[in-house]
Amino acid sequence: MKKILYCLLTLLLFFSFNVNASTNTYERTEENNYGVKKETDYHNRLNSIMKTKYVDASEKIYDFSDILTESEEQELKLLIDAYYKKTGFDLVIVTDNVPYTDDKENEEYADDFYDYNDFGLDTKHYDGVILFRNTYEANPYYTMELTGNAQLYYTPKIDDILDTIYDEIKGKQYLNGFKHFISLLDSFYESGIPSEMEGYTLDDKGHLVPPPKEPEEYKVPTILMIISAVIGTSIFTGVNVNKNKMVKHAYEANTFMDQSTVNYTKRTDTFINSVVTHHTISSDSGGSGGGFSSHSGSSGFGHTGGGRHG
Amino acid sequence: MSNTKGEAMGTKCPACGASIDFDPKASKWKCKYCFSEFTLEEMEKVTSGSASEEKNKKKEVTKENVDYYTYNCQSCGAEIIADNETAATFCVYCGNTTILRNKLDGDFKPDYVIPFKTEKKEAEEAFKSLSKGRMFVPKDFTKQENIEKIRGIYIPFWLYDFDAFGDISGTATKIQSWTTGNTQYTKTDYYNVERAASMSFSKVPVDGSTRFDNDIMDTIQPYNYNELQKYNHAYLSGFYAERYDQDKDELQNISEGRVKKSVEMELENDIKGYATKNIKQKNINSKLTNVKYALLPVWMVNVKYKDKQYLFAMNGQNGKFIGDIPLDKTKVTIYTILCFVIIALIVLGISYLIFKL
């Protein structure tokens, strides 16, 4: 009897750790304003909004693909809460299985999921990060998208972060991968806004605005001045010195040639061959670097982001 | 070292017998005493008559390595000394023109002459206006006092006629360039080019006197040969004249060199429409067809400036005035520095404006 009880307990324990969490979704209706609390003109975007799952924004982890256990979710939730407390940035992890073949669709999914749920609602620009894992077998993909001020902290680090967690995500070690993801966000936050993003601001829609070009300090073009003065003066002095020299040696007798007697007996121009050479023009697109800019989600809010196959 | 005594001829007025000079403006001989005017034909009758009567008396006098000749002035009878190349000069006592007839006889008799058409004061004016449009002329260089002596001189020139033939060949290229995508293509077409032509040159002038700088004499060219006159002693009155001391064979190569260069230029310029030309072979021949001896009018202005002599010459026919003017080094320095500073400031100003915009 004791044995049976022990077995039952073990079984119960086992279940309690391995039961995958289910995620609740809600219906978007006109009454609940289609689930959108953010300031957006949802009438034009109803299509996108209706396609987007409406969830409870406080859960943070939405495992539609069922790849995490309840306990794993809880573990992650603790980390996310701590992260939010520290940074004020929302952090959302979504998994789903949707048959997307285009990377853009994955990014849109992530953007819409973030924009049309109540994430980041307590900040002006809805600051936050979303990591979306599409477990679609034919084209597994994961993408991170940044919203609001999170763009300032992480935009230059996107590739770095995605590459770092690549092996774990691809190897389906999701818990480790997501934990790793959170800790990367955490440590990059601690290093502050990267120097590349210095001076960037956000506009009303949360798009990155590059820093206004600082008025450069005027520099006296010494070399240009000297070169032009040397050339100009040489011409000026040369021309004027030459005016004093009028006597010239005659080496030809053109004036005394009788033009009417010029009689050509041979005038041949024979084509020999052609040679074609080519070279590639190096496109000098200026080494000043392109800077960073946000793309708009269907909501019109600005995001930066990136993704990886795997 | 010889001194030859000869007889000089003064050009005399056929009417009153006074000395008479050629007037460049009127192209006539005008007598200052009786105001008579004479044409060439009228003068010829008088001068040719006396020419045959003249005889040379030679007398040797040793004095350095120069041949000196003494003549008796036809006007006052005084002795005139001149060297071997002087063909017309002035009597130092009475100031009359003295044409040393025998200097321009025989082999030395010119075929042609172009009479003076400009006057002494035009040469003076031309000299004085040298500083116009020239920044580096020394301040008082063009002062009247600097003009030592202005002389109208008939300079001996050899006029060479040539028939020339040239044949040149080489390669030439045409280049086309276009861009497709980010590749730039350059197509070079190679051609063999050949040109051959004959042409004539007439009256290429070479100064026949070693006493005048060849470059100066070349620079005052060209003369308008339409005004070439058959030579007559009478034109020399009122002017100096020289006779050649380098004969036509000696100077032929100078004119021939110029002619050949011109043939080459003509042929090369005929190869048109190419981006590059490379002449590999040329064969240019010239044949002398005629040589004439002519006296051409030149105003010579000798300018003494800071103990140095500067020679200026003016074409006595068309007034072309040439010569090398000394540079005012102070002006050159000041203007050069000024120019440098101004350009530098302009560049500074422009760069600042661009920066502000």
Side-chain angles (χ1 to χ4, degrees):
Chain A
M1 188 64 188
K2 206 176 173 183
K3 243 181 187 174
I4 297 166
L5 209 77
Y6 186 75
C7 277
L8 258 167
L9 208 76
T10 327
L11 212 71
L12 204 81
L13 251 159
F14 178 82
F15 270 107
S16 71
F17 277 104
N18 286 282
V19 163
N20 286 347
S22 60
T23 308
N24 295 320
T25 59
Y26 307 95
E27 206 185 331
R28 294 181 187 272
T29 62
E30 203 171 348
E31 284 75 47
N32 65 13
N33 201 24
Y34 304 102
V36 179
K37 290 201 184 75
K38 293 177 184 171
E39 284 171 25
T40 179
D41 179 13
Y42 52 84
H43 293 288
N44 295 336
R45 294 160 182 141
L46 215 50
N47 258 344
S48 303
I49 294 171
M50 293 310 284
K51 272 197 289 184
T52 307
K53 285 173 174 151
Y54 181 29
V55 295
D56 176 356
S58 64
E59 288 175 23
K60 308 300 175 198
I61 299 153
Y62 308 92
D63 185 20
F64 300 112
S65 298
D66 278 342
I67 53 173
L68 295 168
T69 63
E70 188 81 42
S71 61
E72 284 172 337
E73 281 188 27
Q74 278 168 8
E75 196 180 340
L76 288 170
K77 180 73 166 56
L78 287 175
L79 291 171
I80 289 172
D81 287 345
Y83 171 81
Y84 175 72
K85 210 174 164 191
K86 181 171 175 184
T87 64
F89 295 161
D90 219 333
L91 177 49
V92 183
I93 294 170
V94 200
T95 71
D96 206 343
N97 186 341
V98 273
Y100 293 151
T101 49
D102 189 350
D103 302 347
K104 260 245 144 63
E105 290 177 297
N106 284 306
E107 277 161 30
E108 269 169 29
Y109 182 102
D111 289 342
D112 288 351
F113 192 85
Y114 191 90
D115 291 343
Y116 302 134
N117 283 298
D118 302 333
F119 301 117
L121 209 58
D122 44 1
T123 55
K124 186 188 171 199
H125 293 295
Y126 313 125
D127 307 341
V129 184
I130 181 168
L131 178 69
F132 168 50
R133 169 59 172 166
N134 189 347
T135 51
Y136 177 51
E137 290 245 334
N139 182 29
Y141 195 84
Y142 66 99
T143 173
M144 66 178 282
E145 295 292 313
L146 306 166
T147 309
N149 285 303
Q151 295 176 96
L152 299 178
Y153 280 83
Y154 301 126
T155 299
K157 307 291 181 191
I158 291 169
D159 286 336
D160 199 0
I161 295 171
L162 292 171
D163 291 340
T164 311
I165 61 171
Y166 179 81
D167 288 337
E168 287 153 335
I169 301 289
K170 191 182 163 68
K172 298 186 179 166
Q173 295 170 278
Y174 291 115
L175 179 66
N176 286 341
F178 296 154
K179 275 163 79 178
H180 204 165
F181 178 71
I182 297 164
S183 79
L184 283 169
L185 292 180
D186 192 65
S187 65
F188 283 131
Y189 179 84
E190 277 177 11
S191 351
I193 294 173
S195 59
E196 300 100 300
M197 299 306 290
E198 251 168 47
Y200 274 82
T201 50
L202 296 170
D203 68 9
D204 290 346
K205 286 282 178 189
H207 287 86
L208 282 175
V209 178
K213 278 194 180 156
E214 268 184 49
E216 281 173 48
E217 216 173 287
Y218 177 71
K219 277 186 202 147
V220 176
T222 323
I223 293 169
L224 182 72
M225 278 166 67
I226 291 173
I227 291 173
S228 18
V230 165
I231 294 171
T233 308
S234 314
I235 294 170
F236 167 81
T237 308
V239 165
N240 280 294
V241 164
N242 216 34
K243 278 184 184 169
N244 279 25
K245 193 172 159 38
M246 290 182 275
V247 177
K248 286 179 181 85
H249 179 70
Y251 64 97
E252 39 78 12
N254 293 352
T255 347
F256 307 99
M257 185 199 290
D258 191 346
Q259 285 296 338
S260 63
T261 63
V262 179
N263 178 27
Y264 275 87
T265 51
K266 201 193 286 167
R267 248 185 185 139
T268 52
D269 297 55
T270 325
F271 175 74
I272 317 167
N273 65 339
S274 264
V275 176
V276 179
T277 58
H278 61 89
H279 75 275
T280 312
I281 305 158
S282 54
S283 48
D284 270 350
S285 55
S288 62
F292 300 99
S293 64
S294 307
H295 62 261
S296 292
S298 69
S299 62
F301 299 130
H303 301 280
T304 56
R308 292 286 185 277
H309 295 271
Chain B
M1 299 187 204
S2 65
N3 183 314
T4 309
K5 180 147 183 166
E7 213 150 314
M9 181 203 107
T11 309
K12 290 186 171 175
C13 172
C16 68
S19 179
I20 189 169
D21 284 344
F22 180 71
D23 179 348
K25 284 288 164 212
S27 287
K28 277 183 177 170
W29 283 258
K30 280 185 179 171
C31 177
K32 281 177 273 190
Y33 301 97
C34 68
F35 305 109
S36 308
E37 287 186 13
F38 301 96
T39 62
L40 178 62
E41 290 76 30
E42 289 160 346
M43 289 301 292
E44 256 174 348
K45 284 179 197 160
V46 187
T47 53
S48 60
S50 58
S52 56
E53 293 162 15
E54 276 178 298
K55 287 171 194 160
N56 290 342
K57 287 182 199 163
K58 290 188 180 179
K59 191 172 105 185
E60 295 208 358
V61 169
T62 307
K63 197 182 181 192
E64 293 173 352
N65 269 331
V66 186
D67 286 347
Y68 281 97
Y69 292 79
T70 55
Y71 304 90
N72 287 108
C73 174
Q74 284 283 299
S75 292
C76 66
E79 265 200 348
I80 303 163
I81 298 171
D83 63 17
N84 199 24
E85 274 67 49
T86 305
T89 184
F90 292 84
C91 172
V92 287
Y93 303 100
C94 68
N96 282 328
T97 310
T98 309
I99 300 164
L100 310 175
R101 290 287 308 269
N102 59 313
K103 293 296 178 60
L104 296 169
D105 282 341
D107 280 350
F108 291 102
K109 186 174 184 210
D111 300 301
Y112 301 114
V113 60
I114 291 181
F116 271 91
K117 279 193 97 177
T118 52
E119 289 176 327
K120 193 173 182 170
K121 62 171 186 259
E122 291 175 53
E124 266 178 42
E125 289 307 313
F127 172 74
K128 282 189 225 157
S129 61
L130 276 181
S131 53
K132 276 183 199 159
R134 291 188 178 88
M135 296 180 112
F136 298 155
V137 178
K139 202 183 157 203
D140 43 5
F141 180 72
T142 53
K143 269 199 205 157
Q144 176 75 37
E145 300 95 272
N146 286 339
I147 305 174
E148 284 242 305
K149 210 202 268 178
I150 293 193
R151 288 178 300 161
I153 308 180
Y154 281 103
I155 308 261
F157 275 89
W158 291 109
L159 307 177
Y160 296 89
D161 290 351
F162 286 97
D163 279 346
F165 179 83
D167 186 349
I168 62 169
S169 63
T171 53
T173 61
K174 285 183 184 174
I175 295 169
Q176 269 179 293
S177 194
W178 69 94
T179 309
T180 312
N182 61 348
T183 308
Q184 193 186 354
Y185 295 89
T186 308
K187 180 169 167 253
T188 312
D189 293 335
Y190 290 87
Y191 289 85
N192 260 333
V193 288
E194 268 193 277
R195 293 289 183 278
S198 63
M199 61 204 77
S200 300
F201 291 80
S202 66
K203 299 191 178 62
V204 181
V206 180
D207 148 40
S209 169
T210 46
R211 297 214 272 189
F212 302 101
D213 180 71
N214 276 354
D215 286 345
I216 290 183
M217 289 305 139
D218 285 338
T219 314
I220 57 166
Q221 302 289 341
Y223 283 86
N224 177 7
Y225 291 137
N226 292 333
E227 289 173 7
L228 272 179
Q229 307 283 332
K230 209 168 156 289
Y231 176 75
N232 189 295
H233 285 319
Y235 284 112
L236 304 192
S237 56
F239 303 98
Y240 290 85
E242 289 276 322
R243 69 174 194 178
Y244 67 82
D245 59 0
Q246 288 176 294
D247 69 22
K248 58 187 182 214
D249 302 327
E250 212 178 323
L251 298 172
Q252 186 183 326
N253 60 338
I254 294 179
S255 54
E256 205 159 9
R258 290 177 61 184
V259 161
K260 284 183 172 174
K261 183 72 199 165
S262 281
V263 174
E264 202 181 316
M265 285 165 80
E266 163 68 31
L267 294 171
E268 273 190 43
N269 289 340
D270 192 67
I271 303 169
K272 290 179 196 130
Y274 293 97
T276 64
K277 289 186 246 185
N278 180 17
I279 304 301
K280 287 176 177 159
Q281 270 195 318
K282 55 187 173 195
N283 181 23
I284 290 153
N285 294 309
S286 61
K287 200 180 103 212
L288 185 69
T289 53
N290 202 0
V291 195
K292 293 289 180 195
Y293 175 38
L295 294 182
L296 303 182
V298 180
W299 289 104
M300 300 288 270
V301 185
N302 231 331
V303 181
K304 198 175 180 191
Y305 181 75
K306 289 192 174 165
D307 297 328
K308 268 181 93 178
Q309 293 286 341
Y310 295 88
L311 184 68
F312 291 84
M314 186 171 95
N315 182 314
Q317 184 186 32
N318 62 21
K320 183 179 180 185
F321 193 88
I322 61 111
D324 287 343
I325 310 164
L327 288 168
D328 185 328
K329 285 187 181 126
T330 319
K331 278 189 186 176
V332 174
T333 313
I334 291 171
Y335 280 115
T336 301
I337 292 170
L338 212 63
C339 176
F340 190 94
V341 171
I342 288 171
I343 294 176
L345 286 177
I346 289 172
V347 172
L348 184 71
I350 291 172
S351 81
Y352 191 71
L353 272 180
I354 292 170
F355 171 78
K356 276 285 166 192
L357 295 173

